[in-house]
Amino acid sequence: MGKGTKERILTEGVDLLSRNGFAGVTLGVLSQKTGMSKSGLFAHFKSKDEVQLELLEETTRIGFLSFVQPAMKNAPGLARLRAVFQGWLGWTEKAGLAGGCPVAAGMFEFDDAPESHLIRRRLFSMEERWRVQLAQLVTEAIESGEFGRDLDVDQFVWELCGIYLNHHTSHRFIRDPLAFNRAERAFESLIERSLASHAPGKPRVLRERNRQRPRAKTAKH
């Protein structure tokens, strides 16, 4: 069994992982999915953990090719950051996978697992690397003069990841038809608050909202 066979196993496995999560990916289930015997799978993978670790690497490869690499063709700065974010939303569907992001789902699946757990450690490492990459994109927007010099990059990335996870839940679990629209609006609001033209001082969008917000009435005792 050669390289082509292993690639087919990984392709089927990532699709299965995106739909059923890690608990649904075993050598038995993968054997049925690929039409191969367990002994045939053991020629490539020695354990369930090894299968799942390689599926995570394949997930990273697919994500990079489907939306990260194309977005990096944009000039460093806001255009590149926006392209990455837009490609990130619902990226598994755009890549032709049957389900959602295995990494996003995996973080919930393994959140209570011991920190020493093999799959949890790999997920943590992947998420950590991704946030470093996002921080680099934000830093490029600062260096290009589009974002303010005093922007808190870590806070920006924190909010950006929050938008993505909310979109993931709203789109895939709640089935909100406005999930993409709401995520885009939240992203643009985050961008607007970060622009160099709004620094220093309070962002214009927040000033406008504060003017429109009625004062709370003092309760009488």
Side-chain angles (χ1 to χ4, degrees):
M1 295 182 185
K3 182 180 178 181
T5 301
K6 186 172 183 178
E7 289 177 348
R8 182 169 65 87
I9 296 170
L10 290 175
T11 298
E12 294 284 358
V14 170
D15 199 60
L16 184 65
L17 180 62
S18 74
R19 284 188 290 108
N20 296 351
F22 288 88
V25 178
T26 64
L27 289 174
V29 174
L30 196 54
S31 173
Q32 295 176 353
K33 179 72 175 176
T34 59
M36 296 177 61
S37 65
K38 287 187 180 181
S39 60
L41 290 175
F42 271 115
H44 298 283
F45 310 102
K46 303 307 180 186
S47 66
K48 183 181 76 171
D49 284 344
E50 186 176 332
V51 171
Q52 294 181 345
L53 288 173
E54 292 220 31
L55 290 179
L56 280 175
E57 292 305 312
E58 181 65 7
T59 297
T60 299
R61 188 189 72 82
I62 294 172
F64 176 78
L65 292 177
S66 66
F67 77 92
V68 178
Q69 188 177 60
M72 298 304 284
K73 295 177 182 178
N74 290 276
L78 186 50
R80 179 179 290 181
L81 175 62
R82 181 176 277 113
V84 167
F85 176 75
Q86 291 174 340
W88 189 19
L89 294 180
W91 73 267
T92 54
E93 297 172 29
K94 300 168 188 174
L97 297 179
C101 176
V103 179
M107 289 191 293
F108 290 102
E109 192 170 345
F110 288 95
D111 58 352
D112 291 323
E115 292 185 10
S116 59
H117 191 286
L118 195 61
I119 305 301
R120 190 189 193 282
R121 289 209 321 261
R122 182 62 61 85
L123 285 166
F124 181 90
S125 176
M126 291 173 68
E127 179 67 10
E128 192 173 45
R129 292 199 309 269
W130 177 238
R131 292 188 183 216
V132 168
Q133 188 169 354
L134 290 175
Q136 178 58 37
L137 295 174
V138 177
T139 300
E140 289 174 353
I142 295 174
E143 293 173 347
S144 69
E146 294 167 291
F147 283 170
R149 287 282 172 186
D150 60 348
L151 178 67
D152 186 335
V153 175
D154 290 338
Q155 180 66 26
F156 187 103
V157 171
W158 196 92
E159 293 186 42
L160 190 62
C161 291
I163 294 171
Y164 174 78
L165 288 175
N166 198 347
H167 169 269
H168 179 84
T169 302
S170 298
H171 175 56
R172 300 209 57 82
F173 184 75
I174 301 176
R175 307 293 172 85
D176 182 359
L178 297 177
F180 280 92
N181 180 266
R182 293 189 188 283
E184 290 281 1
R185 287 170 57 190
F187 175 72
E188 292 303 328
S189 177
L190 179 59
I191 293 295
E192 187 173 3
R193 289 186 279 116
S194 307
L195 293 176
S197 59
H198 291 161
K202 198 181 233 184
R204 175 176 55 81
V205 64
L206 295 185
R207 290 200 303 268
E208 290 176 352
R209 288 176 182 171
N210 286 342
R211 283 200 301 267
Q212 295 171 1
R213 186 180 298 141
R215 292 183 179 180
K217 295 182 179 179
T218 303
K220 296 181 180 179
H221 298 283

